[in-house]
Amino acid sequence: MTETAAGTDWRAWQESWDRQQEWYMPDREERFRVMLDMVEAFTGPAPRVLDLACGTGSITKRLFDRFPDAVSTGVDLDPALLAIAEGYFAGDGRVTFVRADLTDPRWVEALPYDSYDAVLTATALHWLRVEPLAALYGQLGGLVREGGVLMNADHMRDEATPRINAAERAHRHAAMDRAKEAGALDWAAWWDLAAKDPVLAAPTAERFAIYGEHAEGDTPSLDWHTRTLREAGFAEARAVWSSPSDALVLALR
């Protein structure tokens, strides 16, 4: 990354994170598009959104690009990714960032609003085991207003189809290998760069002290997500987008 006269080039870091994530999920923009289509369908063009496990603010960026009158609360525990998000959105009064641990039952007390039109999250909650994830869904059932929505895009494979899963994984990883040979950054290489940046080095070290190298969570099936969301008080829940390995589940309050 580069330094500008004003300091760290947060836009470059934001874009670099997006490219790294796209190495794993080349259809990432498609899931975001469907997510925002559904936000518009249920909440209109000026929603109050909770960007859950927001990372660098990828969802909030796309939310504001499409809905300039939206407001967003970004919540995450990762100090490095939050530093990028806060730097990227510096001076934008539409967004508030909150550092909180989603496994702490009191995390909701740090939010600036009591309810939201939409809760959005992508490729993040698989860091949780099923028990804390179910508890989180229960809390979110109380945060989403009547008629509002929760959407979670994440890994939701069907373990009843092992041969399909294996073929899809092999095909996807072959494409990832080709992209890496062409210079794409993977997760480890991206974090190596962050650790060498004079501004991000300390929060990156703190981040790895919190999380370790890899997620130790679960990737339950789509059926588990829809069932658990209904048990959490949502009236309806189903997939509104899917790929061979991932799904975007929408729950309507």
Side-chain angles (χ1 to χ4, degrees), residues 52-67:
L52 196 67
C54 65
T56 64
S58 295
I59 290 175
T60 292
K61 177 183 182 299
R62 288 154 181 80
L63 176 75
F64 290 165
D65 286 347
R66 181 156 169 180
F67 307 119

Side-chain angles (χ1 to χ4, degrees), residues 10-18 56-58 61 84 88:
W10 297 116
R11 180 176 296 277
W13 276 112
Q14 168 74 255
E15 292 175 353
S16 176
W17 175 262
D18 281 345
T56 64
S58 295
K61 177 183 182 299
I84 295 170
Y88 183 85

